[in-house]
Amino acid sequence: MSVDLITQIVAYAIAIVGAARLIVQGIAKVTAITPSTTDDQIVSTAQKWIARVQSLLGTIALPSNGAETTAAKKKAKTG
């Protein structure tokens, strides 16, 4: 697999998860006004899973110059 293909896959995954998060946020607004608590629990679980996936994708999708950026930040703190 080429780096470009992996980059595209990660970019699409980030877009899909972002869209899912927006959808779940909209559903959360609706479930907040319903008397049932079951739907609130389901939405809460969905939000937790989306946050986990976003965290994972954020780790994978570090910029290609991430090492340089990290080194520059460390240098700025010490220097």
Side-chain angles (χ1 to χ4, degrees):
M1 291 178 94
S2 71
V3 175
D4 292 334
L5 178 61
I6 294 171
T7 303
Q8 284 183 334
I9 291 171
V10 170
Y12 285 128
I14 290 171
I16 290 168
V17 171
R21 182 175 180 170
L22 290 174
I23 291 168
V24 170
Q25 285 177 344
I27 292 171
K29 298 286 185 185
V30 173
T31 60
I33 59 174
T34 61
S36 172
T37 59
T38 305
D39 54 359
D40 295 334
Q41 292 171 351
I42 293 169
V43 169
S44 175
T45 302
Q47 288 173 330
K48 289 177 186 175
W49 277 103
I50 289 173
R52 289 179 185 166
V53 171
Q54 282 183 318
S55 174
L56 175 67
L57 288 174
T59 303
I60 292 171
L62 291 175
S64 60
N65 64 352
E68 295 171 12
T69 304
T70 303
K73 286 180 182 178
K74 286 182 181 178
K75 187 176 181 181
K77 285 182 180 179
T78 60

